[in-house]
Amino acid sequence: MVKPVFFKAQVSSLIATAIDFALTIFLVEVIYVFEIVAAALGTITGGVVNFLLGRNWVFKAEAQPIPKQAFRYVLDW
């Protein structure tokens, strides 16, 4: 049986990836931003979304300070 935390982590990753791709495509095709800039903005946005979902929904780790968690997340990311 799949553990709930594992399932939530996969859903969080899927949501972040969808936002990453959607934003990148939107920036390139609609706003006409250079591809490299759009890819960077999409990747950063997806990473932030994944961090926030992981912190607040997947692991419920609101008690720890955000800067410490964000630093460790960026090192791993």
Side-chain angles (χ1 to χ4, degrees), residues 2 24 56:
V2 177
T24 302
N56 297 316

Side-chain angles (χ1 to χ4, degrees), residues 12 47-70 73:
S12 171
V48 169
V49 167
N50 193 29
F51 170 74
L52 293 174
L53 283 173
R55 180 179 192 275
N56 297 316
W57 180 57
V58 177
F59 301 109
K60 294 183 175 43
E62 296 95 355
Q64 296 179 5
I66 290 177
K68 182 179 178 182
Q69 288 178 338
Y73 180 82

Side-chain angles (χ1 to χ4, degrees), residues 9-47:
Q10 296 306 309
V11 171
S12 171
S13 179
L14 183 65
I15 291 169
T17 301
I19 289 173
D20 176 353
F21 283 134
L23 180 61
T24 302
I25 291 169
F26 174 77
L27 289 173
V28 170
E29 299 295 330
V30 177
I31 308 291
Y32 302 111
V33 175
F34 289 116
E35 289 87 357
I36 191 78
V37 175
L41 290 173
T43 300
I44 291 168
T45 303

